[in-house]
Structures are given as C-alpha cells and as structure tokens.
Amino acid sequence: MILHSCSPQPTTTPRNCLPDSFVALQNFKSCCFYNFKKRPNLLKHEMHSLYCPKSLSSNFKIQAVETDAGKLDNTTTKLEYDDLIWPSPSDEIPFWKREFPSWDIETVGPVDIPKDSDPMHIVHVTAEMAPLAKVGGLGDVVTGLARACLTRGHKVDVFLPFYECINKLHIKELALTSTYNSYYDGSWIPTNVHRGVVLGIPVIFIEPSNHFFKGQSVYGGAYNELEAYLFFSRACLEWLQVSATQPDIIHVHEWQTGGLPLLYWDMYHYLSLKKPRIVLTIHNMEHYGECRAEQLSKCGLDGSIYATEEKAVDERTIGHNPERLSLLKGGIVYSNAVVTVSPTYLKETLCSGWLAGTLIRHRDKYFGILNGIDTAIWNPATDAFLPAKFDANNVEGKKICKLFVQRGLGLAPEGLPGDPDKVPLVVCITRLVAQKGLHLITNAIRYVEALGGQMVILGTAPDARVGREFEDLAQLHNRGSSIRILLTYSEELSHMLYAAADIVLVPSIYEPCGLAQMIGMRYGAVPVVRKTGGLADTVFDMDDKSQPEMANGFVFEGIDEGSLNRALDRAFSYYREKPNEWKGIVKKVMQMDNSWNNTARKYIYIYSSGKLGKSSIEYAPRKSPDVAKENCGMRDACSSDDTKPYPTNHSCQI
Ligand code: ADP
C-alpha cells in the first residue's frame, strides 16, 4: 500500500509523505547434506538464510582430539545414507554453517484449521520476531502466534524495528514503501517504512533515520535501548495514524513496547485512533522497563503524571531520588487485557514480585495462556536442517541425527561394536542467565559425564563474567569425548541438537513458559525439567503414579544439585534399563500437541471477548482530552468537539 498523505499539514508538522521505491530481493537456495539426485523429496525451505549475519558467527572451535567418531556399522543406515556427507570436528566449515536446502515454510501450515467466523485485524508491536530478530522465546512466540492467527483467517501485521543486523536480502517482497516523521525529544525524525513478508507474515519494518537500532545484534547496540523502544512504540502508532489504519487489536509484548498503551490512551486515542484495543503479553517479568520521567517525556507524554502508584511508578523506588517509572507496569495498567505465558506463571506472578500488587488490582483482565510452538517450523519430518527426517512412527532418522551430531562434534558415537553401554545424549539450549539455573547446568555437565552420558550445551551469555565461566568450562571439557559447550547462537544447530538429543534439560529457577522442552519433545527428546512456571504445565513426571496418562518426562523441585541429579538418575535408568518404555515415552512426547493451533484460539477469545471491552481507563485515570490535544501539533486544526474525529494525516508533537 503506497499512501500519499501529503495533504495539507500545518507548517509546524513535518510532512508525512510516502514515496515508494523498491529493494531487490534475492532468493537463496542451496544444499548441504546430500547429493540431491538421491533425495528428490526434500522440501524447499527458505529459513536457513533468514538469520542475522551475527547469529551465524561463532567463537566455537572444537578442541577435541578427533575420536574414532563414526564407523558406520549399521548396514541399513549405511545404504540409506550412503550419500550423506558426514561431518567431522576438523571440517573447515562446521556442519551447522553449511548451506541448507530450500524449504518453503509458508506452504507447510496446517490445512485443517477452521477459519474463525469474525476475522479481526491484529497488529503485533514487538522487539523480536523469529527467525529474523530472535534472541529467545519472544521471537518464536510472535511468529508462531501470528502464523496461527493468519491460518484462522485473521489479518495480521507485525511491526518490528528495522535492526541493522537483520539479514534483509531474505525477507520476501521487501520494499521501502514510505517515509514519514515520528516524534522524539523535541524533533521529528524522518522514518522509513519497509514492508516485507517473513514466513508468510506481513511485516512492517520501522527505520528511523537516527542512530536507533544500529549495531550487529538485536540488543546491546550503542544507543539508549529504552528511549529507542519508546520511539518505536510511538512511531508504530504514528504510522497507524498517518496511514489511517484502525486495527482491532494492537498486541504489545514485554517492557519494550509497554509505553505504547500509555501513548495510545493518552494521546492517539484522542486523535484519530479510535478502534484498537490493547493486549499486552508479559513473556518474562525479569525486566520492568525502568524509566525516568524525563525519558518518558521524550516520546511526547508528560512523564511526571505517570509517577503515581496507580499508574506507572516503580514502587521499589518510592522515596528515592529520582523515583523511577516502569514501562511494564504502565503497560499492565493501560492495556485492555494482559496475558502471561502459562497458567502457573500467572499464579507465581500474583504471589511474588513487586508487580504482584498491580497484577492483583488488575486481576480480572489478567490471563495465563500457555505458549505454543509452530509445528511447521519445528517439524522433524520436514526440517531442512536435519540430515535425516523422522516422525513419531519412524524414529530411525533420529538415530542418524544423533550420530551426525556426535561425529560432527567429535563425541564418541553410541553403539559401536564392543560398546554395550548406552550413551544418552543430553542437550541444553538456552540463554546462559541466572534464571536458567546456571549452577544446575554446570552441575549437569559433571554429573552427566560421571553417569557415562554425553551433553551438549548451546548457549550465549549476555553477562561477560558468566561467558568467561563457561569458556573456562569449555576449555576444560571440550577436549574429551562426552561434553561439548558451544558458546554461540545458531538456529540451525539448535534444530540438529533437538533432533539428536535423547534428553532435553531445562533446569530453570523460574521459567514463564519455556519453549525448549516443547521443541525438544516434538523432536523426540524426553524432558528433564525443574517444576516451575510453564515447565510445570507441560512436563509431568514418569514416576508420578497419580496421573500416568500425563507422564512425559522427569521433574524435580529443589534448586539444589541433588534434586537434579536424582531426576537425571531416573532418566538414565529408564533409558538404559527400560528401552521399550523409553521408546514409548519418545513416541508419546512426539505425538503431544503443543502447537499454537491448540492455544491461539485462547488469544482469539481474549481479542474478541467482551472482557477486552473493559478498558484500562476504568482502572487508570487518564489525562484529559485537552492535555492530549496539547500534545498534538494540529491542535488548532483538531476539533474541540471530542466526538468529532480528528484529521487522520497529521502528526502529534508536544
Ligand atoms: P527464553 O525466551 O527465556 O530465552 P524459551 O525456552 O522460551 O526461553 O525460548 C528459547 C528459544 O531460544 C528456543 O527456541 C531455543 O531453542 C532458542 N535458543 C536459546 N539459545 C539459543 C542458542 N544459543 N542458539 C539457538 N537457539 C537458541
């Protein structure tokens, strides 16, 4: 859509003109595992090259002395996978950085999902979106939920900052469609709007002409992140306004977009945006979007008026100089509905943490909906990153994946002649942060080795001290043949590891939902998890005789090493001593439905429910319309009659 909204605007307001020009798009197709004449059925897939270039970089170097890692003695396997290019730790290009076959993921959506009777226009405003700009589960959730809603017949757009690190060549139909201005700190910033399609989802990329969102990673650029996301929040509303778009729902995520509900209700709703209602999803209560009043003022609101308990003050800072605001709290107060990502995390957040009081006050608009996983993106039967495909009814390919990873990483392969021991492979794919149970992860390295198992950790540590600790561990363990600690981010390798794993370990201290255990299960890896948050909602202990039909993994409660060790003991003993039962669990976890198809309808219910009509206005006294109009550069042109719609093609400023 190319808008030409250079219709009369006051001279005080910069022109929001929308020129069009196009950026060429190149397709990328390649292959890595096979000679393709032997594998005619590989699907086309374009995911591989969608990642940030940064995400492909690695500081990983396998230090292992190459073991005798992979004499293929299984004749069937040898015949079947004759053409497989087996990796080795001494490969110049690590196996997860090879080029992969194309696979058009858009066409792999579920076909049997009925369309909803009342289609809505849903707009996500987010800091992350998988796989383009993914750091953790937030990116997966936005993509998975958006695709599920599209499948159900809704119109969905995702607003994402146009991070410099995004691999732009691989966004379909990428085009610069317009330029407009959005307010920041007393100036109007010329801002580009690019449109493109990612995994079938229309995406609107916001690119300010200042230094925001520049850098080689999604987070941690050389700009003030809080102010950049406040700018982004307003820029999305500004764009909806200048393009006269009135979605039904604006769905914001995390603290980064927690300022948007304030901007919406106290500014844009008094201008031309009348229809949208706001839903906030809290993916993790760890970050509150701590913010000084003057920082909030930089996006055009009067920050000082939010410094009250019922609005956005961070209660922990009351009496301090200066007191702080919390964008997350403001988002909770000002949104029409607030969702967190599992029923158990909902209960936990109502019981502890300084935001519990706010959540209790807003309890009747606060919901817990378990995340899903996108079963087209995470599908071992079609996954282009896997050297062999498999499903619940035929797990032969999983053995190949395990052997492939073992050989590639120089781990001693299981099942060599004369090696009667069974060697379960444990994987842990995670951000290396305190929440994830760092002491339990490091303990698991030692304990799995002691038990004669193998373990691969794939993780990144945002904290340099933690990074150094794990680098030391890698130095120590990566030379042997049973442990690999890979301190890098690689989507491709994560797919291969889930496929190779017998056990997926998630020992989090707290875990709002957790996707790793769900993805692991989809790939036939049995979860060993700590009983917290969404882990408690998705994994049920094999030895809990009260609900055997639910049993699908191994659960421990304590945060001490002993509790984890006992769970690992039990998992290893099932694996080694009850192979048939183990096969049964593998089949069962692969057949479980943790897909978005299952849970997206709960979001749809909230989007469309009467509950959403209960606006936060009832909870949060708002600024008067007069104040909002003062914040609008067109206040002279704006009607003083609050019932009369304001002109659409103008911008607000202080
Ligand atoms: P969180 O959102 O707290 O990071 P989740 O379990 O909800 O945890 O989601 C984590 C997601 O990020 C999963 O898709 C996981 O596979 C992925 N992930 C985490 N670390 C890495 C990594 N180093 N490389 C590739 N993927 C990773």
Side-chain angles (χ1 to χ4, degrees):
M1 175 183 65
I2 308 296
L3 295 178
H4 289 281
S5 69
C6 306
S7 51
Q9 294 202 30
T11 48
T12 52
T13 304
R15 286 150 49 96
N16 276 326
C17 304
L18 310 169
D20 53 335
S21 66
F22 292 89
V23 175
L25 180 77
Q26 277 181 349
N27 272 340
F28 174 86
K29 289 182 183 134
S30 51
C31 60
C32 73
F33 293 121
Y34 299 98
N35 173 348
F36 267 66
K37 67 185 185 328
K38 294 260 180 152
R39 303 283 294 167
N41 292 331
L42 278 174
L43 293 168
K44 290 190 167 181
H45 172 30
E46 295 200 332
M47 277 184 69
H48 158 57
S49 45
L50 284 165
Y51 308 99
C52 290
K54 165 90 172 168
S55 75
L56 296 176
S57 74
S58 163
N59 59 5
F60 170 66
K61 194 155 180 273
I62 299 172
Q63 298 162 321
V65 182
E66 195 174 351
T67 56
D68 186 8
K71 288 179 188 128
L72 281 174
D73 292 308
N74 180 330
T75 322
T76 320
T77 300
K78 187 162 175 46
L79 285 178
E80 178 105 347
Y81 293 95
D82 229 7
D83 279 354
L84 195 56
I85 303 167
W86 288 91
S88 136
S90 56
D91 287 344
E92 205 168 305
I93 300 176
F95 61 92
W96 64 91
K97 290 188 182 180
R98 293 176 184 175
E99 293 174 351
F100 290 89
S102 315
W103 166 28
D104 192 351
I105 200 92
E106 286 164 46
T107 60
V108 195
V111 283
D112 51 349
I113 302 294
K115 301 269 183 266
D116 288 325
S117 55
D118 185 14
M120 287 175 281
H121 183 192
I122 302 147
V123 161
H124 289 270
V125 180
T126 174
E128 288 185 40
M129 180 192 186
L132 273 187
K134 169 177 161 180
V135 176
L138 167 62
D140 286 316
V141 169
V142 169
T143 299
L145 178 59
R147 278 163 54 87
C149 291
L150 281 167
T151 306
R152 299 176 74 100
H154 301 278
K155 178 173 156 60
V156 182
D157 291 301
V158 172
F159 278 93
L160 188 71
F162 204 40
Y163 296 107
E164 191 180 26
C165 69
I166 287 176
N167 190 347
K168 286 125 191 138
L169 283 179
H170 307 296
I171 303 163
K172 281 190 175 170
E173 298 160 36
L174 179 63
L176 171 66
T177 54
S178 49
T179 299
Y180 70 118
N181 299 290
S182 196
Y183 180 84
Y184 172 66
D185 199 15
S187 309
W188 289 90
I189 311 293
T191 299
N192 288 332
V193 175
H194 305 258
R195 283 178 179 268
V197 178
V198 177
L199 300 181
I201 307 164
V203 184
I204 299 169
F205 297 97
I206 300 294
E207 182 189 32
S209 56
N210 63 9
H211 56 299
F212 289 160
F213 308 120
K214 305 282 189 292
Q216 291 315 301
S217 55
V218 170
Y219 301 127
Y223 52 88
N224 184 309
E225 223 155 59
L226 186 119
E227 292 177 18
Y229 286 114
L230 276 170
F231 168 85
F232 172 64
S233 298
R234 175 157 181 181
C236 293
L237 290 171
E238 182 69 23
W239 172 246
L240 290 175
Q241 173 156 281
V242 297
S243 61
T245 309
Q246 300 272 358
D248 296 285
I249 298 295
I250 301 175
H251 191 154
V252 300
H253 301 265
E254 299 290 65
W255 70 267
Q256 287 96 340
T257 49
L260 187 146
L262 283 60
L263 279 158
Y264 176 74
W265 286 113
D266 283 350
M267 190 182 289
Y268 284 85
H269 189 64
Y270 287 114
L271 301 172
S272 68
L273 293 180
K274 301 291 178 191
K275 187 175 175 195
R277 292 293 177 266
I278 314 286
V279 175
L280 163 71
T281 293
I282 302 171
H283 299 257
N284 193 327
M285 210 80 89
E286 189 186 0
H287 301 290
Y288 304 108
E290 213 177 286
C291 171
R292 292 193 310 278
E294 52 284 14
Q295 284 180 299
L296 185 55
S297 297
K298 286 187 182 180
C299 73
L301 292 170
D302 175 357
S304 65
I305 70 163
Y306 297 92
T308 65
E309 274 188 62
E310 68 276 11
K311 289 188 175 177
V313 83
D314 178 340
E315 278 99 337
R316 297 168 307 171
T317 68
I318 290 177
H320 290 222
N321 186 14
E323 290 178 353
R324 304 290 174 106
L325 306 175
S326 154
L327 293 185
L328 188 63
K329 176 176 169 182
I332 293 168
V333 170
Y334 276 74
S335 293
N336 296 87
V338 181
V339 178
T340 195
V341 291
S342 70
T344 297
Y345 193 58
L346 176 127
K347 286 184 209 145
E348 291 170 356
T349 54
L350 285 167
C351 292
S352 63
W354 71 269
L355 273 173
T358 305
L359 291 169
I360 290 167
R361 269 203 302 286
H362 295 275
R363 178 69 185 93
D364 58 349
K365 61 170 184 177
Y366 184 37
F367 306 91
I369 302 180
L370 198 63
N371 282 337
I373 55 171
D374 190 314
T375 48
I377 294 171
W378 297 105
N379 184 355
T382 56
D383 192 324
F385 300 145
L386 304 190
K389 320 294 178 222
F390 56 96
D391 60 25
N393 295 318
N394 183 355
V395 287
E396 280 308 299
K398 186 167 171 66
K399 292 183 192 157
I400 302 296
C401 292
K402 181 172 177 181
L403 199 50
F404 190 88
V405 163
Q406 286 174 318
R407 287 170 57 112
L409 296 180
L411 293 167
E414 175 180 30
L416 288 177
D419 176 12
D421 279 341
K422 296 199 130 228
V423 185
L425 174 62
V426 181
V427 304
C428 181
I429 301 171
T430 183
R431 292 181 297 119
L432 292 167
V433 292
Q435 170 204 338
K436 302 294 180 180
L438 294 177
H439 69 292
L440 295 176
I441 294 173
T442 53
N443 168 75
I445 295 169
R446 290 184 294 271
Y447 200 66
V448 166
E449 191 163 38
L451 289 177
Q454 294 178 346
M455 180 161 181
V456 180
I457 294 173
L458 174 62
T460 48
D463 181 294
R465 194 186 51 78
V466 175
R468 278 194 300 278
E469 192 186 321
F470 275 84
E471 270 159 27
D472 290 347
L473 286 169
Q475 288 279 347
L476 188 68
H477 291 280
N478 282 3
R479 291 182 183 279
S481 61
S482 52
I483 305 294
R484 292 293 174 268
I485 300 166
L486 313 177
L487 300 177
T488 186
Y489 185 95
S490 167
E491 194 77 12
E492 297 88 335
L493 182 55
S494 75
H495 283 240
M496 293 184 198
L497 290 178
Y498 286 121
D502 298 299
I503 293 170
V504 59
L505 175 66
V506 193
S508 307
I509 303 305
Y510 75 92
E511 191 59 75
C513 178
L515 298 178
Q517 81 283 9
M518 292 199 250
I519 299 168
M521 288 194 272
R522 174 100 171 126
Y523 282 68
V526 176
V528 173
V529 305
R530 205 177 147 261
K531 189 172 184 177
T532 179
L535 299 172
D537 293 329
T538 50
V539 183
F540 306 93
D541 197 273
M542 284 300 294
D543 295 322
D544 179 356
K545 300 300 175 209
S546 67
Q547 43 178 7
E549 70 294 344
M550 304 283 280
N552 62 354
F554 299 89
V555 180
F556 62 99
E557 290 194 28
I559 55 168
D560 59 301
E561 285 86 350
S563 300
L564 166 63
N565 292 351
R566 284 189 288 281
L568 285 170
D569 283 338
R570 290 190 294 121
F572 272 52
S573 105
Y574 265 88
Y575 180 87
R576 286 174 168 155
E577 287 151 32
K578 301 176 185 170
N580 287 337
E581 278 190 55
W582 186 268
K583 278 185 199 150
I585 315 173
V586 169
K587 185 165 184 163
K588 185 175 183 180
V589 295
M590 290 189 75
Q591 285 174 331
M592 283 175 58
D593 185 359
N594 282 313
S595 70
W596 272 112
N597 311 329
N598 212 11
T599 51
R601 67 191 160 79
K602 296 181 184 163
Y603 267 104
I604 304 287
Y605 173 77
I606 288 184
Y607 292 156
S608 56
S609 133
K611 290 180 179 117
L612 203 52
K614 206 167 197 178
S615 153
S616 49
I617 303 165
E618 293 169 29
Y619 300 94
R622 294 181 303 158
K623 290 161 69 177
S624 72
D626 284 344
V627 181
K629 273 177 255 162
E630 276 164 25
N631 279 346
C632 165
M634 286 196 63
R635 62 179 182 277
D636 295 338
C638 289
S639 165
S640 57
D641 174 2
D642 203 28
T643 58
K644 208 166 145 195
Y646 295 114
T648 54
N649 294 325
H650 75 289
S651 301
C652 284
Q653 62 182 8
I654 288 178

